[in-house]
């Protein structure tokens, strides 16, 4: 049983008092306790050998979103969850990738062809029509006269995609954008579904065209080849375990990682390591009594812009999102060469707003009680799947070793550079924290002598690098 706010935690007896940051950097947990009997139920069962084996399986091939490697990985993860007795789902979602294949763009007026820059993602096609100057193409200011015509648009004030949409909404068949400074034409982005060719001219070329239009109608041809979007499919793997009916608090805890890698990278640490801990915790917790629904989720297309986690978060109803009290994201938790000389191998919890929350409170305290033997510090960073959950108002944090290893996002992110000890420490901390929420007897905790105390833990302004 757990509530999202600190005061609620105090009321529930889950935290006795809230730790305040002391001026000095703690060298060791000032009030570290040995693991409680409850922690031991979880942490004694966590096997870094199991995690290592999972990483070996997953990193056998790259798992870039939308590739066969991703699906192989996702199906493997799903089968493991099923083996542990979870209700599982492979949640597919589409995403779009820019095609830019020797892209060419041109504007032809009166037999004279000008080479033009092709918008990133522009539709390929050729249109011939009159040109209409629509200024900045601001919402509500595009004239009806652009219907069936080519819109001439000045750069500035609103995003490219908005400009294109505003003229599409008025029936334009092509876009000629011109720059508002300098001598380059190298700008412009179109979204999937904006199916008209869109190209860019320099400021001087655009101004010349504006002047020409003042003298009378101008007919132009806009042509784009070798450009567009391709639709791909990525997957989230979702495993759920409902608590016992009589003990159900109605609350949900999420434990996540991303299973996709960068193209061509084996992604052993990024983020097969996180997935390995998600699976291991799912295995260990599957047989434990809980009063909280647990959801273990591995996200796809994180490397394409957190697409899987945004898809999952977006698929939750408001009522469902309200039930989620915590999200633990593990992304890059096994790198031998990360973390520098920082305590606990450099493990840190990053939150989006740089503030402590339920997740960091629980995990820093767990750090002091488990193998890491240190109250894990927190810092501020996005860059992973904790972002969408934070945006829903759910306490969320990213567990990672910082500073980064040199192999980040390279083909060298391989199994041989994984440190089992780092995996073990991170999984113990997250596992003990999750179980702290999920175990049925937590509300009685204040009466139990094994109640883990709060710890002081520091804000650490530690940039991960790269
Ligand atoms: N594992 C990284 C996140 C990360 C990298 C956190 C370095 C801290 C330090 C993640 O997979 C990633 O690469 N994220 C992208 C951003 C994302 C929105 C595409 C990144 O950081 O470039
Ligand atoms: Zn990652």
């Amino acid at each position: 049983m757990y509530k999202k706010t600190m005061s609620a935690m105090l009321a529930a007896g889950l935290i006795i008092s809230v730790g305040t940051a002391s001026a000095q950097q703690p060298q060791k947990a000032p009030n570290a306790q040995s693991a409680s009997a409850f922690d031991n139920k979880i942490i004694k069962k966590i096997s870094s050998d199991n995690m290592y084996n999972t990483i070996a399986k997953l990193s056998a091939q790259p798992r870039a979103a939308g590739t066969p490697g991703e699906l192989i990985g996702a199906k493997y993860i799903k089968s493991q969850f099923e083996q542990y007795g979870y209700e599982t789902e492979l949640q597919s979602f589409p995403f779009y990738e820019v095609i830019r294949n020797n892209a060419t763009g041109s504007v032809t007026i009166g037999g004279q062809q000008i080479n033009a820059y092709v918008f990133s993602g522009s539709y390929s096609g050729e249109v011939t029509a009159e040109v209409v100057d629509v200024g900045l193409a601001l919402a509500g200011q595009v004239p009806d006269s652009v219907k069936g015509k080519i819109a001439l648009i000045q750069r500035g004030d609103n995003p490219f995609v908005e400009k294109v949409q505003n003229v599409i909404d008025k029936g334009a068949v092509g876009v000629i954008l011109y720059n508002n400074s300098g001598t380059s034409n190298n700008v412009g982005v179109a979204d999937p579904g904006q199916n008209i060719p869109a190209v860019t001219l320099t400021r001087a070329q655009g101004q010349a065209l504006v002047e020409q239009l003042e003298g009378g109608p101008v007919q132009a041809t806009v042509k784009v080849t070798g450009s567009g979007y391709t639709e791909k499919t990525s997957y989230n793997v979702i495993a759920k375990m409902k608590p016992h009916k009589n003990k159900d608090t109605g609350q949900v805890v999420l434990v996540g990682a991303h299973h996709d890698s960068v193209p061509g990278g084996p992604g052993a640490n990024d983020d097969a390591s996180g997935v390995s801990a998600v699976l291991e915790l799912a295995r260990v917790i599957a047989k434990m009594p809980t009063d909280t629904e647990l959801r273990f989720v591995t996200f796809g297309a994180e490397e394409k812009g957190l697409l899987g986690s945004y898809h999952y978060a977006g698929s939750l109803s408001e009522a469902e999102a309200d039930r989620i009290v915590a999200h633990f994201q593990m992304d890059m938790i096994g790198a031998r060469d990360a973390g520098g000389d920082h305590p606990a191998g450099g493990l840190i919890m990053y939150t989006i707003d740089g503030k402590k929350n339920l997740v960091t409170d629980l995990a820093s305290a767990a750090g002091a009680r488990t193998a890491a033997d240190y109250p894990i510090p927190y810092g501020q960073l996005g860059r992973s799947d904790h972002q969408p959950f934070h945006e829903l108002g759910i306490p969320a944090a990213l567990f990672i070793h910082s500073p980064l290893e040199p192999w980040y996002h390279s083909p060298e992110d391989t199994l041989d550079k994984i440190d089992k000890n780092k995996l073990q420490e991170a999984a113990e901390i997250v596992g003990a924290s999750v179980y702290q929420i999920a175990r049925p007897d937590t509300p009685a905790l204040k009466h139990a002598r094994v109640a883990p105390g709060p710890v002081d833990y520091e804000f650490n302004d530690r940039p991960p690098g790269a």
Side-chain angles (χ1 to χ4, degrees), residues 115-367:
N115 287 337
Y117 178 79
V118 175
F119 271 42
S120 173
S122 168
Y123 182 75
S124 285
E126 180 177 336
V127 290
T128 299
E130 253 181 53
V131 179
V132 176
D133 183 355
V134 301
L136 290 161
L138 300 174
Q141 293 183 19
V142 177
D144 293 338
S145 60
V146 82
K147 186 165 181 358
K149 310 278 167 62
I150 293 165
L152 177 65
I153 309 176
Q154 189 184 354
R155 182 185 186 188
D157 283 32
N158 57 351
F160 301 118
V161 162
E162 250 175 67
K163 291 177 187 289
V164 173
Q165 197 56 47
N166 290 343
V167 302
I168 285 179
D169 290 346
K170 290 285 184 177
V173 295
V175 165
I176 303 172
L177 177 87
Y178 62 99
N179 214 338
N180 55 359
S181 66
T183 56
S184 150
N185 63 357
N186 204 327
V187 294
V189 181
D191 263 356
Q194 295 188 319
N195 291 342
I196 62 174
V199 298
T200 309
L201 300 178
T202 64
R203 176 169 179 259
Q205 288 167 334
Q207 281 175 341
L209 189 45
V210 170
E211 273 170 33
Q212 197 180 339
L213 277 171
E214 283 163 6
V218 176
Q219 182 96 352
T221 297
V222 172
K223 187 175 178 187
V224 169
T225 67
S227 169
Y229 279 95
T230 172
E231 184 180 309
K232 298 195 167 172
T233 303
S234 180
Y235 302 88
N236 294 324
V237 189
I238 305 162
K240 292 184 190 178
M241 183 75 80
K242 293 250 189 306
H244 191 279
K245 273 207 186 77
N246 300 335
K247 302 230 169 176
D248 190 353
T249 63
Q251 297 182 330
V252 179
V253 172
L254 299 182
V255 184
H258 70 91
H259 59 244
D260 66 312
S261 69
V262 291
N269 195 43
D270 189 8
D271 181 24
S273 67
V275 173
S276 77
V278 168
L279 282 178
E280 182 62 0
L281 293 180
R283 184 186 73 81
V284 165
I285 296 178
K287 295 185 189 72
M288 312 282 293
T290 66
D291 67 0
T292 305
E293 178 178 332
L294 296 174
R295 285 189 207 165
F296 295 91
V297 187
T298 72
F299 301 106
E302 188 270 356
E303 302 286 7
K304 305 289 183 192
L306 318 180
L307 302 183
S309 49
Y310 271 108
H311 181 81
Y312 178 73
S315 73
L316 299 166
S317 69
E318 214 176 306
E320 247 188 309
D322 280 347
R323 295 204 295 131
I324 303 174
V325 295
H327 173 81
F328 296 78
Q329 173 74 11
M330 291 178 280
D331 189 355
M332 307 175 73
I333 55 155
R336 178 191 70 191
D337 303 314
D341 293 330
H342 292 280
L347 189 63
I348 187 167
M349 305 173 285
Y350 285 121
T351 60
I352 300 299
D353 57 9
K355 295 186 181 144
K356 296 175 173 183
N357 60 33
L358 170 62
V359 172
T360 62
D361 283 346
L362 287 169
S364 62

Side-chain angles (χ1 to χ4, degrees), residues 16 35 45 52 69 104-105 110 168 179 217 257 261 272 302 315 320 329 348-349 397 399 405 407 410 423 460:
I16 297 153
K45 294 182 192 131
Y52 194 82
T104 66
I168 285 179
N179 214 338
S261 69
E302 188 270 356
S315 73
E320 247 188 309
Q329 173 74 11
I348 187 167
M349 305 173 285
F399 293 77
E405 66 276 21
W407 327 115
S410 85
L423 294 174
N460 202 320

Side-chain angles (χ1 to χ4, degrees), residues 24 29 41 101 108 110 181 192 205 265 269 313 342 358 374 389 402 421 430-431 458:
Q24 292 156 316
K41 285 190 180 170
N101 203 353
T108 307
S181 66
Q205 288 167 334
N269 195 43
H342 292 280
L358 170 62
Y374 190 76
F389 301 101
S402 174
N421 195 43
V430 172
E458 302 279 321

